[in-house]
Amino acid sequence: MIICKPATISAVTASSEHATYPDGNLLDARPKLIWQAASSAVASATLVLTLTGPVDTVVLLGAVAAAATLERWTGSAYTAPAGLVAADYADSFGGTMAHWWTFTALTGSVQLRITLAQTGSSVISATNLLAGNAATIDGVEYPLQESLVDTSIRAQLLDGSEYYKKRDIYRAFSGTIRAGRVATVEPLLRAVCRTYGSVPMAVQIAPTVSDAFMVYGRLGMAQASHAWPTVSQASFDLVEVV
Amino acid sequence: MLLVRLYINGSWRYISDRDQMAHVSGTTYRQYVAGLIAMDEIRFATSNPWGGRVAIEYGTMTISPDVFAGDWPPPGKADVRVCYGDAGESDEQMLLMGSAYLLETRADGIVYALYAPLTTTMVTDETFFGGLLNVFSYYCADLGLTLDTGCYDDLGTYWAGGPNPTVEYMASGDRALINALADLAAWTCYRFWVEGTTLRLVHHEYSSEPPMSLDSSEIMATSYPASQPFSRYECEGEQVRPTRWRLMFEQLQNPMRTAVAFAELRVKWVYEGQWHFPGDLACADATPLYPLSNMWDNNAATYWAADFPIGDTGDPQYLIFTSSGYYIDSYRLQARNDSFLDQAAISWQLDAWDTATSRWRKVQDVTAQQWTAGSTQEFPAPVCTWNAAIAGGYAYGDVCSVSPSCNWYHTDKVARLTEIKSITEMPRARVQLPLAAGRIPAIGQLVTYTDDTMRVSTDVAMRVASITYNFETSTCVIEGEATLT
């Protein structure tokens, strides 16, 4: 499991923005506050973010774009950061993509640029932008539990039919981790849960990255049981933020 | 979707129970942020079933502190609008406009109470003899409001007026104008509410909206609370000036001189200091009845006289005087010399005709007045004060006591009570509906549906008298008088 521990992005500036959907919405934790390019005439848009390292992970959620690339500002030019690995996930917002970049940690004052290309005639947009240091937690075990929580309103109508008003339906995950205390408890309980609390974070759940579930959600307070000095078991739950 | 607008520091903030994009028009959307932590039910109702001001029953609204992050601390007061739309602002329906008043600032939520707009304008001293709509029109100018009297009739046809009852005497000053109008509206079975700068006035049978027919697939629950039983409807009394009087005589002393079979009593009526001919005069078997013009007391006016049999103790005779538009100040009785005994005892009773209830009411009673032949006595017309009251449709139950908003004639009071009675004795219907844009009834609106859940399929036509919005379940409950067939 990999968790992008949230760092504070000082600023994000989009090359184009719709008046109703400003780039500042990318830093708002709520996915429904989106950033959008000014119009469908914008074929390519960039997001320039500045932050203070260390940072080794950037996640762009809910992106409507054909392609996305990440570069860093070296002081004279934008180039791909060292060790860059890009992964795309279909995320939970319906037809949009989550772009997850990892690279060799950068420290000090960092300026990054994301370039997004238009998909067909769609307007380029995204919901959240996260950056920080990733916490890798070993030992996630199958089975993982996934369920859907429905907040819709339902009631029976006079003719016996059901009145159903769809509202948010979100995913809830839970699972267990078995590994050493240093590999499990320290990074999950202390470096993530205790440090950040229940703020929304980008999480890849799975023992291996290639099979990961990409979730933007809130971690509950994980629980651990230490069976042996070198064997610990932790349970976690994660509720998607929509 | 629930759409709440708060006016803070010169601009509107758009919040909802969840983050959502509300359609405005064309391709324009507006972001509503999830800022509502809790919102109480809001009820719109008049304080009584028959009319008055449709007021908000206060609820509170808890808003996320995030909403005020750029405007800290939260303002003490903010204008608020609550709407409901399916797509957004493009199909929204206004649920309330009012003010949010800060109750408490907490770390986990900012609590506001909701209030309807208030006015402190006082009533000016005015007298109205025009229609109710004139009164509202006149005072809406004082309140800075536009009067909307656009009404639909039962058939959904635009209908400009409503019954427009005549307001006889407007109450005088020292009252909050909005409260005076509320009383006046209640008394005339109208309802009104204020939406922004518009005062909407509807008769209880009319609405600013065309009738709405609900399908059973739009209704969540129904019930039919019975109306409260009232045995009597009454309002405070007032001085009335009857135009029809009955004077009853009775000779109390059996004849001392049998030779004289009849006594004669003469009656004069005074109106504004002048003696007047009665417009109409009738009597029972006190015969003959005839006008006298022989200046009995050297007055230029005329007596009306009636002879009545002296011997008939226990058989009162009477004279009925009906004027057309004259109100008597006093009446004068004279015992005729040549037919009276030297002295006699006569009892009489003066009744006034109550046209509202079609019966005589005793207003003066004189027992065994001694009369000397030829004497004349003048009596002031008694002050007639009687309460306006009508019987309710139940032999049990409370007395429904209504306060007239201003001075009304007795007959009008009874007419008003009759209308109030007809409304309160109607069955009532209560219906729960999901909130759906365009399908939320308005106050006064006629709502019809067929209820197939009852033992016998029931056609219901109801007038919406109160609406309760529940934003957590996205439902509303409407209630009002109804006809069930």
Side-chain angles (χ1 to χ4, degrees), chain B residues 108-154:
Chain B
D108 62 347
I110 314 301
V111 185
Y112 280 92
L114 294 171
Y115 289 87
L118 195 63
T119 173
T120 54
T121 310
M122 302 295 282
V123 180
T124 48
D125 287 337
E126 299 289 348
T127 302
F128 282 93
F129 294 92
L132 177 77
L133 301 183
N134 298 345
V135 179
F136 269 84
S137 175
Y138 185 90
Y139 281 134
C140 275
D142 285 355
L143 292 167
L145 298 172
T146 304
L147 177 63
D148 174 14
T149 58
C151 298
Y152 283 84
D153 67 9
D154 280 346

Side-chain angles (χ1 to χ4, degrees), chain A residues 24 34 81 86 114 121 145 154 160 165 208-209 213 219 230:
Chain A
I34 66 166
I114 297 169
S121 60
Q145 310 297 325
R154 60 177 72 218
K165 191 172 191 66
T208 57
V209 169
F213 296 91
L219 274 167
T230 56

Side-chain angles (χ1 to χ4, degrees), chain A residues 154-240:
Chain A
R154 60 177 72 218
Q156 184 165 314
L157 289 161
L158 213 56
D159 64 356
S161 62
E162 187 180 55
Y163 168 71
Y164 182 76
K165 191 172 191 66
K166 183 184 176 302
R167 301 213 292 190
D168 292 330
I169 298 173
Y170 56 86
R171 294 182 293 174
F173 288 88
S174 62
T176 55
I177 304 170
R178 192 189 305 274
R181 180 165 59 88
V182 174
T184 307
V185 175
E186 302 283 350
L188 179 63
L189 272 69
R190 299 175 194 168
V192 177
C193 291
R194 195 174 70 180
T195 306
Y196 296 103
S198 196
V199 302
M201 286 181 274
V203 181
Q204 294 179 17
I205 317 170
T208 57
V209 169
S210 59
D211 296 322
F213 296 91
M214 160 65 215
V215 182
Y216 176 63
R218 298 178 192 273
L219 274 167
M221 293 295 107
Q223 285 187 317
S225 122
H226 305 291
W228 192 250
T230 56
V231 178
S232 295
Q233 179 173 314
S235 61
F236 69 92
D237 61 83
L238 177 68
V239 171
E240 188 174 40

Side-chain angles (χ1 to χ4, degrees), chain A residues 11-230:
Chain A
V12 60
T13 307
S15 59
S16 169
E17 67 176 12
H18 188 284
T20 311
Y21 314 105
D23 51 19
N25 283 353
L26 286 165
L27 303 184
D28 192 290
R30 291 170 289 194
K32 285 175 182 139
L33 290 180
I34 66 166
W35 158 75
Q36 199 177 73
S39 72
S40 59
V42 178
S44 173
T46 59
L47 301 170
V48 174
L49 56 154
T50 54
L51 68 161
T52 302
V55 54
D56 62 11
T57 304
V58 172
V59 183
L60 182 67
L61 292 165
V64 177
T69 55
L70 178 84
E71 296 162 305
R72 69 167 294 214
W73 179 248
T74 61
S76 56
Y78 280 106
T79 60
L84 179 68
V85 176
D88 297 341
Y89 300 90
D91 67 15
S92 39
F93 306 125
T96 58
M97 296 297 288
H99 299 283
W100 186 300
W101 293 278
T102 57
F103 42 86
T104 306
L106 300 169
T107 56
S109 181
V110 178
Q111 181 171 318
L112 299 167
R113 183 176 75 176
I114 297 169
T115 306
L116 298 163
Q118 188 179 26
T119 303
S121 60
S122 301
V123 183
I124 299 171
S125 68
T127 61
N128 297 79
L129 182 59
L130 307 161
N133 241 359
T136 302
I137 294 133
D138 296 330
V140 175
E141 292 191 329
Y142 282 111
L144 290 166
Q145 310 297 325
E146 178 181 356
S147 57
L148 292 174
V149 179
D150 184 3
T151 64
S152 303
I153 293 171
R154 60 177 72 218
Q156 184 165 314
L157 289 161
L158 213 56
D159 64 356
S161 62
E162 187 180 55
Y163 168 71
Y164 182 76
K165 191 172 191 66
K166 183 184 176 302
R167 301 213 292 190
D168 292 330
I169 298 173
Y170 56 86
R171 294 182 293 174
F173 288 88
S174 62
T176 55
I177 304 170
R178 192 189 305 274
R181 180 165 59 88
V182 174
T184 307
V185 175
E186 302 283 350
L188 179 63
L189 272 69
R190 299 175 194 168
V192 177
C193 291
R194 195 174 70 180
T195 306
Y196 296 103
S198 196
V199 302
M201 286 181 274
V203 181
Q204 294 179 17
I205 317 170
T208 57
V209 169
S210 59
D211 296 322
F213 296 91
M214 160 65 215
V215 182
Y216 176 63
R218 298 178 192 273
L219 274 167
M221 293 295 107
Q223 285 187 317
S225 122
H226 305 291
W228 192 250
T230 56

